[in-house]
Amino acid sequence: MTSTDVFSLGELFEEVQLRSVFPDGKTFVDCVPKSELASIGRRYEAERKRPGFELAAFVHEHFTLPRAYATKYRSAADRPITRHIEMLWAELTRQPEEAQGSLIALPRPYIVPGGRFREIYYWDSYFTMLGLRASKRVDMIQSMVDNFSHLIERIGYIPNGNRTYYVGRSQPPFYACMVNLLAEEKGDNVLISCLPRLEKEYGFWMKGARATPLPDGGVLNNYWDESDTPRPESFKEDVELARAAKAKKITYRHLRAAAESGWDFSSRWFKNGKDLSSIHTADILPVDLNCLLLNLEQTIARACLLSNDAASSARYQAAANQRKEAIAKHCW
């Protein structure tokens, strides 16, 4: 279900989330509807005022809950940590599935964080790849890079995770780090083949409200989200937080921007440094985001050079140099 889909359910969606039919708000948006959402919505409107109506029973009748993965894995205190991690790769591997509900299909196998996080997450996956390299699982690194390349081609960027309700925001841009990691294992041809996706990701970050022009001519970037509504997967929490806000839409935007940052939620985004209600993520030019974009510019410059495009390489290197100066001037 996309953000538009869940909100089209109107009062049904709000009732399910605000009344905590499921203890975790993410569960409902990961459910798979058994029929068209419009039809479910009409049935809800027709049945909700009848005596004895039970919301939870209605939801279970019309939605299939997210798949629970059976596991035989058991932790052991005396097991070496490396062996523990090696065993977990199999537990956390997911095979390609058809798109259903809110799930965005991916063409290759991938690793998930586990638990309530049943899909890939963008920046988490880079650190997963570091572990995969230590385990000599270059095959899985390749699969995951292929999946992220697929998302860039399909959506124009890598969303927070492969769920439709995450479309509208990304996460810290680690794709260049992933490509460099794979190139270290398989050679520079990886950079050449990924160059179009690297440039497309760069274009996403450099357009619109994520790119902030500076008075001295440079550009630094901030986190953003295309929507200014409560996050479907954290609807109740967002609504409750924004209840006392003077500008609810602005609060929702900052919450979503913090989710794009991956630091959801850190006091670094709070104006008063103390509580979430003072969040203003999109107003900040984070040094770590801009260092990642500096790396992206440098990676594209190198890939262009390997592709015998010296002019484009020089252009991206000049952008990297300008960003490096801006970081040194404005972030310290």
Side-chain angles (χ1 to χ4, degrees):
M1 292 183 285
T2 65
S3 295
T4 302
D5 287 337
V6 294
F7 287 123
S8 73
L9 287 172
E11 291 188 19
L12 171 58
F13 173 73
E14 293 191 13
E15 285 290 298
V16 171
Q17 297 295 60
L18 294 177
R19 289 175 55 182
S20 301
V21 169
F22 300 107
D24 177 1
K26 189 175 181 300
T27 301
F28 185 50
V29 290
D30 287 358
C31 287
V32 178
K34 296 179 181 179
S35 59
E36 291 185 359
L37 289 173
S39 174
I40 295 173
R42 288 192 296 269
R43 291 196 63 175
Y44 171 72
E45 289 301 321
E47 296 180 20
R48 58 188 296 231
K49 295 181 181 179
R50 293 177 183 173
F53 175 77
E54 293 184 7
L55 180 60
F58 180 89
V59 170
H60 283 84
E61 179 184 353
H62 293 285
F63 294 88
T64 300
L65 268 62
R67 175 181 173 184
Y69 285 83
T71 178
K72 297 180 180 179
Y73 177 82
R74 296 293 180 270
S75 182
D78 60 348
R79 182 180 297 143
I81 185 64
T82 51
R83 178 58 181 155
H84 170 79
I85 294 171
E86 295 284 352
M87 293 175 70
L88 282 177
W89 292 137
E91 294 294 325
L92 298 173
T93 296
R94 299 292 180 265
Q95 298 300 323
E97 296 182 63
E98 292 184 4
Q100 53 180 341
S102 62
L103 185 69
I104 299 173
L106 296 173
R108 303 289 299 276
Y110 52 95
I111 305 291
V112 301
R116 67 193 284 263
F117 300 111
R118 295 171 277 263
E119 52 283 308
I120 60 160
Y121 284 83
Y122 180 7
W123 82 318
D124 305 54
S125 294
Y126 172 67
F127 302 100
T128 298
M129 290 178 190
L130 295 178
L132 288 166
R133 179 167 68 171
S135 295
K136 304 188 184 306
R137 290 292 311 278
V138 179
D139 59 324
M140 183 59 80
I141 297 174
Q142 179 72 68
S143 288
M144 293 174 73
V145 169
D146 289 346
N147 283 333
F148 287 125
S149 296
H150 169 79
L151 288 170
I152 292 173
E153 289 293 341
R154 176 178 170 180
I155 299 173
Y157 58 95
I158 300 171
N160 190 150
N162 63 316
R163 292 280 179 184
T164 54
Y165 53 78
Y166 287 143
V167 172
R169 67 173 180 265
S170 186
Q171 271 198 326
F174 272 90
Y175 180 69
C177 297
M178 297 173 182
V179 170
N180 279 310
L181 180 67
L182 188 60
E184 290 171 9
E185 298 294 327
K186 302 185 76 170
D188 287 343
N189 281 337
V190 171
L191 287 163
I192 296 172
S193 65
C194 290
L195 176 57
R197 270 77 67 185
L198 289 164
E199 289 190 291
K200 188 169 285 189
E201 162 141 291
Y202 185 66
F204 165 77
W205 284 96
M206 294 306 293
K207 68 181 180 182
R210 286 180 176 83
T212 301
L214 302 173
D216 54 10
V219 174
L220 288 175
N221 292 75
N222 55 277
Y223 292 111
W224 186 256
D225 189 294
E226 294 174 11
S227 300
D228 58 4
T229 54
R231 294 168 296 153
E233 74 281 9
S234 298
F235 185 83
K236 181 178 181 180
E237 294 86 347
D238 288 2
V239 168
E240 289 179 347
L241 180 74
R243 189 164 285 142
K246 294 180 179 179
K248 289 182 172 58
K249 289 187 175 183
I250 293 175
T251 297
Y252 293 142
R253 180 90 70 186
H254 289 314
L255 289 168
R256 285 172 170 270
E260 180 171 82
S261 81
W263 293 62
D264 45 335
F265 292 99
S266 166
S267 60
R268 70 182 297 200
W269 309 133
F270 305 165
K271 280 185 178 180
N272 62 16
K274 296 178 181 180
D275 61 85
L276 189 56
S277 64
S278 68
I279 192 166
H280 68 138
T281 319
D283 297 334
I284 297 170
L285 304 176
V287 63
D288 42 351
L289 168 60
N290 284 284
C291 287
L292 286 168
L293 289 169
L294 170 61
N295 176 64
L296 176 55
E297 289 163 338
Q298 292 172 332
T299 299
I300 295 174
R302 183 182 171 210
C304 287
L305 201 58
L306 290 168
S307 302
N308 298 314
D309 186 352
S312 294
S313 178
R315 186 173 73 254
Y316 280 106
Q317 188 58 55
N321 294 341
Q322 186 178 48
R323 185 181 300 274
K324 186 175 181 179
E325 292 178 5
I327 290 171
K329 179 178 180 180
H330 296 288
C331 294
W332 275 274

